[in-house]
Amino acid sequence: FQSHGTRCAGEVSAAANNNICGVGVAYNSKVAGIRMLDQPFMTDIIEASSISHMPQLIDIYSASWGPTDNGKTVDGPRELTLQAMADGVNKGRGGKGSIYVWASGDGGSYDDCNCDGYASSMWTISINSAINDGRTALYDESCSSTLASTFSNGRKRNPEAGVATTDLYGNCTLRHSGTSAAAPEAAGVFALALEANLGLTWRDMQHLTVLTSKRNQLHDEVHQWRRNGVGLEFNHLFGYGVLDAGAMVKMAKDWKTVPERFHCVGGSVQDPEKIPPTGKLVLTLTTDACEGKENFVRYLEHVQAVITVNATRRGDLNINMTSPMGTKSILLSRRPRDDDSKVGFDKWPFMTTHTWGEDARGTWTLELGFVGSAPQKGVLKEWTLMLHGTQSAPYIDQVVRDYQSKLAMSKKEELEEELDEAVERSLKSILREN
Ligand SMILES: *[C@@H]1O[C@H](CO)[C@@H](O)[C@H](O)[C@H]1NC(C)=O
Ligand SMILES: *[C@@H]1O[C@H](CO)[C@@H](O)[C@H](O)[C@H]1NC(C)=O
Ligand SMILES: *[C@@H]1O[C@H](CO)[C@@H](O)[C@H](O)[C@H]1NC(C)=O
């Protein structure tokens, strides 16, 4: 009676013209199911062996699971699963890297997916959902590590707003739901991109997602759309927007693999600092992003803020980080149900995708404060800035130039509209040249 896997699989891979129920996003794909949640316990070794099952044969792992979405859990992959993920992206698919697609979680506005170490991993592409009219789903969590979104079920009692897919015993359901239903749609789109270009690496897939996902009509009441320092439009809840399969496949066809990835420790604050009960603790780190060294990171991909902090009430903690180019990432929002007062966060890697393409050099700012009804106390014990990205990026230079020349000459409103086109144009011409 466990229908979850069957439903997810159908979204990706249901045969065309099957006369039973819809069609898979990538109907030429093949799919295998791995039974890992059908027992009362979960272990590191079960997770690790599941996500490293036949990595030379399986291209994409679609994971519609994760730590409990109860708004108070902070949990992530353990040693073996971390190793399996690292091996997956480095050695899977003949070295091009396994693609891990992750449902960002169904904890709603009371949870924060940056507290889910699977969804917030750099090695996974985490997918949130929008409902059929473009609004936020009530179960959506927000966080700065989400890369993009797809559509899932709408508000209650609207029979047309569910996700149609294969069900047990040859049946069809019109009611698949949650970010569980969103992630497999993304897995299907990535399968189409691989069908168009088998040479794509795991990082190419993330770049393509950033560049081709769309704002369209996606709208969240709380989090507005913003542009980062290189003009890429993002949203704290939807990531870079809804996946556009057509645009992704088109761009995938002529895609040139992104340059080598480097890792730089941008700096670290290790002296304990008190977070005041009212107001906030503001810290800065100035970094050259390892310029002049072999591992210089000039164009950002992922940024991690590894943080150790304790608090009399963990759920009332609020953490933001602002990049040298002025992009603010909300690393942790309030989680009203999280009343932990002992553990806090221990070297937790908060991740943001919002500074994608930016220049990492300059001053980063971290702001920590308490939001909630009662005054709280806490101590920040570590903030280490981890920068990941490339020394050269063929397309970003052009995007920045376009953006800055537009900024200099045009009014803001016009700019906002024209920018998308400019970004798209410059990307197209560069890709064609390559
Ligand atoms: C298939 O779906 C139909 C209609 O909802 C239902 O009556 C039937 O029991 C289902 N069959 C099985 C085996 O679940
Ligand atoms: C946090 O850590 C500091 C320094 O180690 C300690 O004095 C304080 O009691 C801790 N607070 C909580 C809430 O654990
Ligand atoms: C973090 O950013 C949010 C959204 O802009 C803001 O409401 C909040 O006050 C900020 N918190 C801190 C500690 O700066």
Side-chain angles (χ1 to χ4, degrees), residues 223 226 279-282 318-320 328-330 332 367-371:
H223 301 290
R226 291 181 285 146
K280 53 188 172 185
L281 171 65
V282 181
N318 173 212
I319 309 177
N320 298 332
K328 178 159 88 177
S329 300
I330 303 170
L332 177 68
E367 297 169 287
L368 300 98
F370 286 110
V371 271

Side-chain angles (χ1 to χ4, degrees), residues 175-193:
R175 300 188 166 276
H176 194 28
S177 63
T179 55
S180 275
E185 285 171 30
V189 172
F190 300 150
L192 293 175

Side-chain angles (χ1 to χ4, degrees), residues 196-211:
N197 180 355
L198 261 179
L200 300 176
T201 67
W202 69 278
R203 286 168 52 229
D204 290 332
M205 202 65 91
Q206 297 209 12
H207 279 270
L208 286 166
T209 301
V210 169
L211 295 175

Side-chain angles (χ1 to χ4, degrees), residues 5-200:
T6 304
R7 292 176 170 196
C8 290
E11 292 183 83
V12 178
S13 212
N17 304 312
N18 60 50
N19 288 318
I20 299 171
C21 189
V23 59
V25 173
Y27 50 82
N28 287 332
S29 65
K30 291 188 178 128
V31 70
I34 298 175
R35 191 186 294 272
M36 61 175 286
L37 291 168
D38 274 5
Q39 66 264 329
F41 58 90
M42 194 63 185
T43 64
D44 189 18
I45 199 162
I46 294 175
E47 292 180 8
S49 50
S50 299
I51 66 159
S52 60
H53 185 71
M54 305 185 94
Q56 303 311 325
L57 186 68
I58 294 172
D59 298 322
I60 302 170
Y61 297 80
S62 187
S64 290
W65 56 272
T68 316
D69 296 319
N70 57 7
K72 53 184 181 183
T73 301
V74 176
D75 199 9
R78 307 288 154 95
E79 196 185 343
L80 296 174
T81 305
L82 273 179
Q83 190 59 52
M85 279 183 176
D87 286 349
V89 297
N90 289 318
K91 301 178 201 157
R93 253 176 0 108
K96 292 190 287 290
S98 307
I99 311 290
Y100 295 111
V101 185
W102 225 274
S104 60
D106 289 0
S109 60
Y110 281 9
D111 211 342
D112 184 304
C113 34
N114 242 349
C115 294
D116 170 343
Y118 302 81
S120 67
S121 165
M122 306 185 289
W123 300 319
T124 65
I125 300 180
S126 103
I127 299 292
N128 208 346
S129 51
I131 67 171
N132 53 337
D133 64 6
R135 283 182 296 162
T136 307
L138 294 175
Y139 48 79
D140 279 345
E141 298 177 28
S142 62
C143 66
S144 56
S145 53
T146 297
L147 204 61
S149 300
T150 60
F151 291 104
S152 190
N153 66 305
R155 305 277 158 106
K156 254 193 237 168
R157 294 185 206 295
N158 180 354
E160 281 165 31
V163 175
T165 180
T166 50
D167 209 352
L168 294 181
Y169 312 113
N171 260 349
C172 176
T173 177
L174 302 177
R175 300 188 166 276
H176 194 28
S177 63
T179 55
S180 275
E185 285 171 30
V189 172
F190 300 150
L192 293 175
L194 286 183
E195 194 175 15
N197 180 355
L198 261 179
L200 300 176

Side-chain angles (χ1 to χ4, degrees), residues 310-312 341-342 377-379 381:
N310 70 8
T312 46
S341 61
K342 295 202 171 72
K377 280 193 261 183
V379 177
K381 297 172 185 183

